Amino acid sequence: MSKVPGSYQALGLKSDKNHTAEERLQSFIINHAEKFLNGHGRQIIGWDEILEGGLAPNATVMSWRGVAGGIEAAKQKHDVIMTPNTYLYFDYYQTKDIANEPEAIGGYVPVETVYNYEPMPADLTPEEQKYIIGVQANLWTEYIPTYSQVEYMELPRMAALSEIQWTMPEKKNYEGFLKRLPQLVDIYDVYKYNYAKHVFDVNAVFTPNPKDGTLDVTLSTIDNSPIYYTLDGTEPSAASQLYTETLKLKQNCTFKAITVRPAGNSRVVTEEIAFNKASMKPVTMLQPVNKQYEFKGAPTLVDGLKGNGNYKTGRWIAFYKNDMEAVIDMQQPTEISSASISTCVEKGDWVFDARAFSVAVSEDGKNFKEIASEKYPAMKQDDKNGVFNHTLTFDPVTARYVKVTALAEHSIPAWHGGKGNPAFLFVDEISLIDSYIQIMTVCQKCDRVPLGVRWNASVHMRKECCVCVGAIRFWGKRDG
């Protein structure tokens, strides 16, 4: 519309502090469409974009970009159907283990997230809540080639959707829902529906414990069936260690767990857990985490669990209209010489990479000295989406407090549809290490053992023997 400015100028539509001229033109068109429909005995329903430029007088709003649009429309006394993508988009993945799932558009909406959604926003008065007339889930099918996959994406999430519509908030109980679900699943089996079985897998909750310096792992199942686990990457079975109490992990491991039932075993839950010097340490945020994507908050940055290319799984936390500034209390003077962060990029969703990364240290947690920093160019249109890793190395320094800062993109580039607006910044694991390794070496050809060396971990760990030019293999322990 911006390419034909005469259209809105001829109508006398102008920008103001709340709306652009283009938004005013959109509102004009929506109003025109509504009058036509009203004249034929129909009412208009529109996605929450119709709020831009001002609502048509009798329009019903479908609040899909979160709940804010629905709240705004209800306050304006318009009927609202709540269908937020963060809770009710059934084309989103149902599990974090997306590698073993049918391809989906992205996102992460498990059954529990659906069930825990409350469609009556607390921000509304009882009178305003009357304008919330219903709830709807959406299943877009551009990634769904068969009806069998439709069933897989809808069931049992559809059951959770039903309960949030007809159950009063004070009577909702997710544990009770899970206890009743097997009876419904029996019906799915009778009709041979292709339903998702994730709720029958092991539910693993990972909680950083700064007091003990451990990652506490709590395991449960829908029916209290026995759980077996391994920490060495081997496949668990009924012969593996039986889970009886919270696991307190203190070192790197490949965690796997399974539940064993007479009808068959569940899928294996797998997590790669990697500790560094920042892991499980107390974290203080100097700038706020975005509420919509806060998930478990600041501890997510140091929980030893890496996020994948899906920023909605809860393994990332977001920053919007401000930067990320995290202070890690190392709890005692600690030597570091390298810092890393990861960011998740999905440009189509206004999720961009960091523009800068810096590290500062302090003895008192108040006065910080910057020791390393790096700037990054604005993203280009052909830059790939996915996970970006950023690392700073510096001379070894000892400090009690470490401040890690990542600057967000505050003005999306001109090539993007959101140009000029701030972008989201999604950040995951902060890693602080001493980037050198104490290593012993042995030559694979002449079997000579040279002296121990300090070897920079960022260099590929293979070199030639100074005696026979054979390949040396290295082993050693990373300090941190």
Side-chain angles (χ1 to χ4, degrees), residues 368-399:
F368 285 87
K369 177 184 178 182
E370 185 177 286
I371 55 173
S373 64
E374 195 168 51
K375 294 182 179 180
Y376 310 115
M379 296 200 76
K380 300 187 295 295
Q381 189 169 1
D382 58 355
D383 284 339
K384 293 183 178 180
N385 294 322
V387 177
F388 286 65
N389 299 308
H390 301 289
T391 300
L392 295 172
T393 56
F394 39 85
D395 291 336
V397 61
T398 300

Coordinates of all heavy atoms in Angstrom, one line a residue, residues 368-399:
F368 N 32.1 -3.0 37.4 CA 32.6 -4.0 36.4 C 33.6 -3.4 35.5 O 33.6 -2.2 35.1 CB 31.4 -4.5 35.6 CG 30.5 -5.4 36.4 CD1 29.5 -5.0 37.2 CD2 30.8 -6.8 36.3 CE1 28.7 -5.9 37.8 CE2 30.0 -7.7 37.0 CZ 28.9 -7.2 37.8
K369 N 34.6 -4.2 35.1 CA 35.6 -3.8 34.1 C 35.4 -4.7 32.8 O 35.4 -6.0 33.0 CB 37.0 -4.0 34.6 CG 38.1 -3.7 33.6 CD 39.4 -4.0 34.2 CE 40.5 -3.7 33.2 NZ 41.9 -4.0 33.8
E370 N 35.2 -4.1 31.7 CA 35.0 -4.9 30.5 C 36.4 -5.5 30.1 O 37.4 -4.9 30.0 CB 34.5 -4.1 29.3 CG 34.2 -4.9 28.1 CD 33.6 -4.0 27.0 OE1 32.4 -3.7 27.1 OE2 34.3 -3.7 26.0
I371 N 36.4 -6.8 29.7 CA 37.6 -7.5 29.4 C 37.6 -8.0 27.9 O 38.6 -8.4 27.4 CB 37.9 -8.7 30.3 CG1 36.7 -9.7 30.3 CG2 38.2 -8.2 31.7 CD1 37.0 -10.9 31.1
A372 N 36.4 -8.1 27.3 CA 36.3 -8.5 25.9 C 35.0 -8.1 25.3 O 34.0 -8.1 26.0 CB 36.5 -10.0 25.8
S373 N 35.0 -7.8 24.0 CA 33.8 -7.4 23.3 C 33.9 -7.7 21.8 O 35.0 -7.7 21.3 CB 33.4 -6.0 23.6 OG 34.3 -5.1 23.1
E374 N 32.8 -7.8 21.2 CA 32.8 -8.0 19.7 C 31.4 -7.4 19.2 O 30.4 -7.6 19.8 CB 32.9 -9.5 19.4 CG 33.3 -9.8 18.0 CD 33.7 -11.3 17.9 OE1 32.9 -12.1 18.3 OE2 34.7 -11.5 17.3
K375 N 31.5 -6.8 18.0 CA 30.3 -6.3 17.3 C 30.0 -7.2 16.1 O 30.9 -7.7 15.5 CB 30.5 -4.8 16.9 CG 30.6 -3.9 18.1 CD 30.7 -2.4 17.6 CE 30.8 -1.5 18.8 NZ 30.9 -0.1 18.3
Y376 N 28.7 -7.2 15.8 CA 28.3 -8.1 14.6 C 27.5 -7.2 13.7 O 26.7 -6.3 14.1 CB 27.5 -9.3 15.1 CG 28.2 -10.0 16.2 CD1 27.6 -10.1 17.5 CD2 29.4 -10.7 16.0 CE1 28.2 -10.8 18.5 CE2 30.0 -11.4 17.0 CZ 29.4 -11.4 18.3 OH 30.1 -12.1 19.3
P377 N 27.6 -7.4 12.4 CA 26.8 -6.6 11.4 C 25.3 -7.0 11.5 O 24.9 -8.0 11.9 CB 27.4 -7.0 10.1 CG 28.0 -8.4 10.3 CD 28.4 -8.4 11.7
A378 N 24.5 -6.0 10.9 CA 23.1 -6.3 10.8 C 22.9 -7.5 9.9 O 23.7 -7.7 9.0 CB 22.4 -5.1 10.3
M379 N 21.9 -8.3 10.2 CA 21.6 -9.5 9.4 C 21.2 -9.1 8.0 O 20.5 -8.1 7.8 CB 20.6 -10.4 10.1 CG 21.0 -10.9 11.4 SD 20.0 -12.4 11.9 CE 20.8 -13.6 10.9
K380 N 21.6 -10.0 7.0 CA 21.2 -9.8 5.6 C 20.0 -10.7 5.3 O 19.8 -11.7 6.0 CB 22.4 -10.1 4.7 CG 23.6 -9.2 5.0 CD 24.7 -9.4 3.9 CE 25.3 -10.8 4.0 NZ 26.0 -11.0 5.2
Q381 N 19.3 -10.4 4.2 CA 18.2 -11.2 3.9 C 18.5 -12.6 3.6 O 17.7 -13.5 3.9 CB 17.5 -10.6 2.6 CG 16.2 -11.2 2.3 CD 15.4 -10.4 1.2 OE1 15.9 -9.4 0.7 NE2 14.2 -10.8 0.9
D382 N 19.7 -12.9 3.1 CA 20.0 -14.3 2.8 C 20.8 -15.0 3.9 O 21.2 -16.2 3.7 CB 20.9 -14.4 1.5 CG 22.1 -13.5 1.6 OD1 22.3 -12.8 2.6 OD2 22.9 -13.5 0.6
D383 N 20.9 -14.4 5.1 CA 21.5 -15.1 6.2 C 20.5 -16.2 6.6 O 19.3 -16.1 6.6 CB 21.7 -14.1 7.4 CG 22.9 -13.2 7.2 OD1 23.8 -13.6 6.4 OD2 22.9 -12.1 7.8
K384 N 21.1 -17.3 7.1 CA 20.3 -18.5 7.4 C 19.7 -18.3 8.8 O 20.2 -17.6 9.7 CB 21.2 -19.7 7.4 CG 21.7 -20.1 6.0 CD 22.4 -21.4 6.1 CE 22.9 -21.9 4.7 NZ 23.7 -23.1 4.7
N385 N 18.5 -19.0 9.0 CA 18.0 -19.1 10.3 C 18.7 -20.2 11.1 O 19.4 -21.0 10.5 CB 16.5 -19.4 10.2 CG 15.7 -18.3 9.6 OD1 16.0 -17.1 9.9 ND2 14.7 -18.6 8.8
G386 N 18.4 -20.3 12.4 CA 19.0 -21.4 13.1 C 19.8 -20.9 14.4 O 19.5 -19.8 14.9
V387 N 20.7 -21.7 14.9 CA 21.4 -21.4 16.1 C 22.8 -20.7 15.7 O 23.5 -21.3 14.9 CB 21.7 -22.7 16.9 CG1 22.5 -22.3 18.1 CG2 20.4 -23.3 17.3
F388 N 23.1 -19.6 16.3 CA 24.3 -18.9 16.1 C 25.1 -19.0 17.4 O 24.6 -18.7 18.5 CB 24.1 -17.4 15.7 CG 23.6 -17.2 14.3 CD1 22.3 -17.7 13.9 CD2 24.4 -16.6 13.4 CE1 21.9 -17.6 12.6 CE2 23.9 -16.4 12.1 CZ 22.7 -16.9 11.7
N389 N 26.4 -19.3 17.3 CA 27.2 -19.4 18.5 C 28.3 -18.3 18.5 O 28.9 -18.0 17.5 CB 28.0 -20.7 18.6 CG 27.0 -21.9 18.6 OD1 26.1 -21.9 19.5 ND2 27.1 -22.9 17.8
H390 N 28.4 -17.6 19.6 CA 29.4 -16.5 19.7 C 30.3 -16.7 20.9 O 29.9 -17.1 22.0 CB 28.6 -15.2 20.0 CG 27.6 -14.8 18.9 ND1 28.0 -14.4 17.6 CD2 26.3 -14.8 18.9 CE1 26.9 -14.2 16.9 NE2 25.9 -14.4 17.6
T391 N 31.6 -16.6 20.6 CA 32.6 -16.9 21.6 C 33.7 -15.8 21.7 O 34.1 -15.3 20.7 CB 33.4 -18.2 21.3 OG1 32.4 -19.3 21.3 CG2 34.4 -18.5 22.3
L392 N 34.0 -15.4 22.9 CA 35.1 -14.4 23.1 C 36.2 -15.1 23.9 O 35.9 -15.8 24.9 CB 34.5 -13.2 24.0 CG 33.5 -12.3 23.3 CD1 32.9 -11.3 24.3 CD2 34.1 -11.6 22.1
T393 N 37.4 -14.9 23.5 CA 38.5 -15.5 24.3 C 39.4 -14.3 24.7 O 39.5 -13.3 24.0 CB 39.4 -16.4 23.4 OG1 39.8 -15.8 22.2 CG2 38.5 -17.7 23.1
F394 N 40.1 -14.4 25.8 CA 40.8 -13.3 26.4 C 41.9 -13.9 27.4 O 41.8 -15.1 27.7 CB 39.9 -12.4 27.1 CG 38.8 -13.0 27.9 CD1 38.9 -13.5 29.2 CD2 37.5 -13.2 27.3 CE1 37.9 -14.1 29.9 CE2 36.5 -13.8 28.0 CZ 36.7 -14.3 29.3
D395 N 42.8 -13.1 27.8 CA 43.8 -13.5 28.8 C 43.1 -14.0 30.0 O 42.1 -13.3 30.5 CB 44.8 -12.4 29.1 CG 45.7 -12.1 27.9 OD1 45.9 -13.0 27.0 OD2 46.2 -10.9 27.8
P396 N 43.6 -15.0 30.7 CA 42.9 -15.5 31.9 C 42.7 -14.4 32.9 O 43.6 -13.6 33.2 CB 43.9 -16.6 32.4 CG 44.6 -17.0 31.2 CD 44.8 -15.8 30.3
V397 N 41.6 -14.3 33.5 CA 41.2 -13.4 34.6 C 40.5 -14.1 35.7 O 39.7 -15.0 35.4 CB 40.4 -12.2 34.0 CG1 39.1 -12.7 33.4 CG2 40.2 -11.1 35.0
T398 N 40.7 -13.6 36.9 CA 40.0 -14.2 38.1 C 39.0 -13.2 38.6 O 39.3 -12.0 38.8 CB 41.0 -14.6 39.1 OG1 41.9 -15.6 38.6 CG2 40.3 -15.2 40.4
A399 N 37.8 -13.6 38.8 CA 36.7 -12.7 39.3 C 35.6 -13.5 40.0 O 35.4 -14.7 39.7 CB 36.1 -12.0 38.1

